[in-house]
Amino acid sequence: MRSSKDFFRPLAVGAPAPLREIPARPSRAIHFFDPSNEKMAAKIPAMVGTVDVLLGNLEDAVKADNKVAAREGLVRIGQSTEGLGGADGSTQLWTRINALDSPWVLDDLTTLVPAIGHRLDVIMVPKVQGAEDIHYIDRILAQLEAKAGLDRPILVHAILETARGVANVEEICGASPRMQGLSLGPADLAADRRMKTTRVGGGHPGYLVRQDPTDTSPEAIEGPRATFQQDLWHYTIARMVDACAMHGIYPYYGPFGDITDVVACEDQFRNAFLLGCVGTWSLHPKQITIANRVFSPSVADIKHARRVVAAMGDGTGAVMLDGKMEDDASLTQCLVMVELAERLAAIDPELKAAYDAIEI
């Protein structure tokens, strides 16, 4: 066992001190790109400032023959793209490294940290099974940061893609001060659980509830009745949100694979937002627009939240507002929305104008 006093000491001599609180940086959309794809890489400079996070993907969707090219491409992008990554970057720079049991992961870390560690904000680790996976990454990063002379720690983000990872989600969240957040990985998780779906995120028409029959006659039972599609991922997202909230880190919805169904994509993103997620993955530029809209509080919600804050005064007791009781719990909920709006307004001029126009 480690003493609690040791938890915030660097794991290597000369490494930067661990953070005591994870910054609440807006990350509504984590947009994935393949650094080995020259056409895709050429678009990155123009995307800086239009998306909260750009993530250079080194794992799935990058063929084995392209692993080295993807790694080298990410180094070039990180070194040459103005405004991308680092404490002052207008868009964060993340990467998803290869799985810890792959032959490429160690080269990912030993190449990226010395070359672009000062620009790299978060490393996303796939298929995290338990705290031991985070401990492994934690120690290596501390050694590489010390060697590279970095003055701030690179944060770690875990993907829940296995049943064991979900079962260990609380200990994963608390495994290191580097932990920035968690994402749902529905495709790999579905396979690991032996779920009978081939969809990447979203619901399934076979997972439903059916309206009760009007009576017990065969005609009523076998006749047409309304059905309501359910969310396969509600339990996992809710558990992930609780674990992240407990440890002061951030939960994210993962990929929505049906690029063409923008309506269902928006519904799924909004469900995750309402449950407590702060952002999602984007697999196509059209999903960035959806994520930015969904994971930003509406003008109506911010107006109501500001009215509650103004009416509550010192934050104790209860008041009636539009016929509804508002108390200290209501105030806490509203402050979450107001603080989020302030952070988003600082980076999004359109949102700032909309929020500034609200009259109380």
Side-chain angles (χ1 to χ4, degrees):
M1 293 180 62
R2 292 173 63 192
S3 166
S4 58
K5 295 189 292 294
D6 293 333
F7 201 60
F8 289 101
R9 291 175 181 167
L11 290 177
V13 176
L19 298 181
R20 293 180 177 267
E21 185 175 358
I22 301 302
R25 301 183 69 179
S27 45
R28 295 164 292 180
I30 304 170
H31 185 65
F32 278 59
F33 69 93
D34 178 356
S36 70
N37 184 318
E38 294 184 5
K39 182 178 178 181
M40 195 176 292
K43 297 179 180 179
I44 295 304
M47 298 185 73
V48 173
T50 68
V51 59
D52 296 341
V53 178
L54 284 166
L55 181 145
N57 186 23
L58 305 182
E59 196 220 8
D60 290 355
V62 177
K63 295 179 180 180
D65 292 345
N66 289 343
K67 295 292 187 182
V68 173
R71 188 186 303 134
E72 293 174 349
L74 183 57
V75 168
R76 287 193 297 272
I77 290 169
Q79 290 177 339
S80 64
T81 307
E82 190 71 25
L84 179 60
D88 300 324
S90 56
T91 289
Q92 296 178 60
L93 176 61
W94 294 22
T95 186
R96 179 169 69 169
I97 58 175
N98 285 284
L100 299 185
D101 61 354
S102 77
W104 305 290
V105 63
L106 196 56
D107 286 340
D108 290 343
L109 296 171
T110 57
T111 299
L112 296 177
V113 176
I116 57 170
H118 61 297
R119 305 287 292 275
L120 198 55
D121 297 294
V122 176
I123 288 177
M124 185 179 281
V125 184
K127 301 175 180 64
V128 173
Q129 299 273 33
E132 68 277 6
D133 290 340
I134 303 301
H135 295 160
Y136 173 78
I137 291 290
D138 200 1
R139 178 75 71 174
I140 290 177
L141 285 179
Q143 293 169 339
L144 292 172
E145 288 166 348
K147 187 175 181 180
L150 301 186
D151 59 6
R152 67 184 185 115
I154 299 169
L155 301 182
V156 169
H157 182 105
I159 314 177
L160 292 183
E161 299 182 276
T162 68
R164 184 179 166 214
V166 175
N168 293 330
V169 64
E170 287 86 3
E171 70 172 49
I172 291 170
C173 288
S176 167
R178 291 184 191 275
M179 284 300 298
Q180 182 272 343
L182 299 179
S183 283
L184 172 70
D188 283 291
L189 181 55
D192 195 59
R193 285 174 166 172
R194 296 181 176 84
M195 294 169 65
K196 309 309 184 286
T197 176
T198 57
R199 298 181 173 207
V200 179
H204 193 288
Y207 191 69
L208 54 81
V209 293
R210 189 178 301 272
Q211 185 183 41
D212 287 344
T214 54
D215 55 58
T216 58
S217 67
E219 293 78 11
I221 292 173
E222 296 174 7
R225 286 185 273 160
T227 60
F228 306 91
Q229 185 171 317
Q230 303 295 290
D231 186 355
L232 290 165
W233 305 107
H234 181 89
Y235 159 78
T236 307
I237 295 172
R239 184 167 182 184
M240 180 179 70
V241 167
D242 283 346
C244 286
M246 172 183 172
H247 288 280
I249 64 177
Y250 303 105
Y252 297 78
Y253 188 76
F256 188 87
D258 190 344
I259 305 299
T260 60
D261 193 348
V262 294
V263 175
C265 176
E266 181 162 343
D267 291 339
Q268 191 69 61
F269 286 0
R270 183 168 288 106
N271 289 345
F273 173 68
L274 292 173
L275 278 172
C277 290
V278 301
T280 186
W281 296 11
S282 164
L283 307 181
H284 188 278
K286 68 173 67 173
Q287 292 186 342
I288 296 174
T289 303
I290 299 171
N292 284 350
R293 178 170 64 248
V294 169
F295 287 92
S296 302
S298 69
V299 169
D301 285 342
I302 296 305
K303 181 174 183 178
H304 173 75
R306 288 180 181 174
R307 290 183 66 208
V308 172
V309 172
M312 283 296 295
D314 63 1
T316 61
V319 299
M320 294 298 294
L321 196 63
D322 299 333
K324 298 178 182 179
M325 186 197 75
E326 308 285 358
D327 59 9
D328 54 347
S330 308
L331 176 64
T332 302
Q333 289 177 295
C334 291
L335 286 173
V336 170
M337 300 287 275
V338 170
E339 290 167 5
L340 174 58
E342 290 174 352
R343 291 196 297 269
L344 293 176
I347 66 166
D348 191 321
E350 290 186 8
L351 275 178
K352 176 175 173 53
Y355 292 155
D356 285 350
I358 296 174
E359 295 182 2
I360 304 299

